Amino acid sequence: MSPHDSDDGYRPDQVEAKWQARWAERHTNEPDLDRAERPFYNLMMFPYPSAEGLHVGNVFAFTGADVFGRFQRLRGKTVFEPMGFDAFGIHSENFALKMGTHPAELIPRNIANFRRQLTRMGGMFDWRHELSTTDPAYYKWTQWVFLQLYHAGKAYRKKAAVNWCPRDKTVLANEQVIAGACERCGAMVEQRFLEQWFFRITDYAERLLGNLDDPSKMDWSASTATAQRNWIGRSEGAEIEFPSDAGPIRVFTTRPDTLFGGTFLVLAPEHPLVDALTVPPWREAMEAYRKAIAARDLVSRKVGEKEKTGVFTGSTARNPATGQQIPVWVADYVLMEYGTGAIGGVPGHDERDFEFATKFRLPIVRVLAGPGETGATPLDGPAVDTEGFRLVNSGAFSELPAALGIKAIVAWLEREGHGKAQVRYRLHDWCISRQRYWGPPIPIIHCDGCGPVPVPEKDLPVVLPVIADFQPDDSGISPLARHKEWYEVACPGCGKPAHRETDVSDTFLDSGWYYLRFTSTEFDDRPFDDARVKRWLPVASYIGGNEHAVLHLLYSRFLTMVLHDQGRLAFEEPFRKFRAHGTIVKDGAKMSKTRGNVVIPDQYIARWGADTFRTYMMFLGPYEEGGDFRDEGLAGPRRFLDKVWELVQQCERATLVGNELHHAIVVKWHQTKQRVTEDLERLSYNTAIAALMELLNALRAVNCAERKIVKEFVIMLSPFAPHFAEECWERLGSKTSVFDAAWPSWDPGLTEESEMEIAVQINGKTRSKVRAVRGASEPDVVAAARRDPTVRKFTDGKELKKVVYVKDRLLNLVVG
RNA sequence: GCCGGGGUGGCGAAACUGGCAAACGCAAGGGACUUAAAAUCCCUUGGGCUUCGGCCCUUGGGGGUUCGAUUCCCCCCCCCGGCACCA
């Protein structure tokens, strides 16, 4: 008979149902938010409640975060672990359209399913503070956040070239365009000119960047911080003016040292000076070129063939350094959205300019030379990698090392009024307008007399009407505009007929502040309660995927900074600690429906139980790297739990546990406590579980079921297998939750054996081992080694040249 | 092209600041128990030699530093993720 089937065998389904019910009854996971003395806000990225239900990626992420939260709780913190749903957005809306069901009907169903699954996996969630971004009680405050930005002058409207997804029929943020395609649906993104709402995130570029290097504010996964740094894309350089007949042409460059090599200028096709600069013989060609570029979608412009194209304007501008008149061209390799939309062509030292100059037969001048080269050395290609180079053919600046040349030329430009040092960012302002239905309406009313007027706060929320006809169209106007009873409204300023803003806001605005709301869900008169926020924020630990490194995680930081600057928040960084978890693959391959290798958590939990599933997920690889999910692997953790169960039973039965403990067991026990604690602190879950397995194996080997050890074992296991641990804990005689127990401490004096085995190497190769008391001195160990027959075989008759001794570990005898 | 993260047994992996490579688990093989199977328990398991004492090789490849390198340095190859004409 299997121990699974025997009466006292471990029955995950029963145990898990019992403890989930009991946690709910006892309010085990509901901390007192107003009185917690050692608050620990344990946050994980709230999911989008898809119809498919919880994905393994979610379960992996949440389990890892939950393990950490439970560990903190056992260490005496009051842990707040909220959960909510990011339910607005295009993905929900598209799915609803596909199913022919209204999202308002679909979402609650999906949320109920998610809540069930999240409870089933044993998360320590405080459901009293559940939120959904689609709830008017929530998005009322999302709209309020918009208004705060508006009042702070950080929200503005402009007609701009935007990324238009022809399939989703909406504008996308730059962050949502992946290699020229829509992040959601994969359709090629087009360029459109629309009136859009933007947030001035670029005003915060320097702070967003600077705080990344401030450990007092942020302790983030290095990969995430790097991704943000690259995304913000700070470049130091200079803005230089090139006088022309149409006025000065401003150019941004990171390489002012190459100014003397600037033999032409290139403007982006959208540059405002193009018309003024283009003279008759070239007008027709220019018009055709600009039209062709405008018609082209951003994809082929950005990622298509990189063959250079361009048209001459017929005009020239003066290079302020050389005094020469140089031709002004227009080419699409210059982007209007970066820098000034115009560049100085330096073909000698820039690959793209070289290519362009070669194609259009423009002069190529060398202005930098390496050691041993003269300015006369011909170039066979652009000299781009110019470290250790010096300026040549650069008038008074010739012979200066390149780095000094930058400073000298910038100083000269500033002195002569030709330009100035400047810092530019790749980061663009955040476009938050979406011409869709399923989102919070932007709380603005457009009045012919007053212009855009913010909806008064007392009138929030601007409720999203439930309409049957929410299909988007090609007009670039939200479906809401088709609903007059909602659209037409009196102007809050003058009272005359006006109309509502019909765009809804980006979902990333919903998720940009949810961590503030969790603490205060019961208040309907304020977005977040000051006392609560003061106690619980910034977030102590945030765990999530790196796919949000530049989206959610950047926007959240920005919004927090704005609210901080308004005096509404004491901190400017919302997430003190952030860790990115890895990704799970199945049988060595990325999971996908077409491949048919998608892991459905419900099925595994039904078969193995949540505790085994959790333990396996945390064991299968390093948490921050992810790992390979294999069905065969679950057997290991399950056998492990079965053996712990037996151990607990053995402990229950034992009326007399008086056997003295092996010293080796005591050492192993203390070592394990240290290892598990340290491993959990750094999210090294797989090795923490391995350490517990080792201790279990050691106990079984000597048939030891010492009560004190078993109890501490159960505590250390509880973050991974919470229901199982509760059951064991109860059977070991406790009336309270294992999560109210104290995390075990270890005696540093007992984490090492009193006698050590020391590896003896001869010339770096391990040849033997000797035993010595802990902390033995070098001469003692050398003496012991020299008595060892194997060692003597290698050393006898040879001269001992050197001795390397690593205390308690290794002795290396170098002989020759 | 640039920026991250990787490459270690049949497989997932471990090795913290340079110090006994392969812990822990899976799978496989052998044995015990059983009428039998499952479950469980015990043993073996990086490769190659072996006179059974041991010996040699092995962390993607090549070089280097060091008494000693999976770990540090240089060059190269491959895989995964992100960015991509950003001046």
Side-chain angles (χ1 to χ4, degrees), chain A residues 461-510:
Chain A
V462 177
V463 176
L464 180 70
V466 177
I467 57 173
D469 162 31
F470 56 91
Q471 181 92 34
D473 61 30
D474 256 327
S475 63
I477 298 168
S478 161
L480 287 170
R482 300 197 292 257
H483 294 265
K484 282 204 166 116
E485 68 290 351
W486 181 85
Y487 177 65
E488 291 176 354
V489 68
C491 170
C494 64
K496 288 186 188 145
H499 66 88
R500 290 193 187 279
E501 168 69 54
T502 55
D503 286 353
V504 298
S505 55
D506 183 7
T507 19
F508 282 107
L509 182 57
D510 303 329

Side-chain angles (χ1 to χ4, degrees), chain A residues 315-380:
Chain A
S315 298
T316 60
R318 194 169 59 85
N319 181 328
T322 62
Q324 282 176 327
Q325 290 293 327
I326 57 173
V328 181
W329 285 67
V330 168
D332 73 337
Y333 82 94
V334 175
L335 308 172
M336 195 58 221
E337 71 242 38
Y338 184 76
T340 59
I343 62 152
V346 185
H349 305 283
D350 181 281
E351 235 156 86
R352 299 151 299 183
D353 297 345
F354 183 85
E355 213 185 299
F356 191 77
T358 308
K359 179 161 176 183
F360 295 105
R361 302 178 187 287
L362 295 161
I364 299 169
V365 175
R366 138 165 278 189
V367 289
L368 289 166
E373 290 179 316
T374 68
T377 324
L379 281 163
D380 49 2

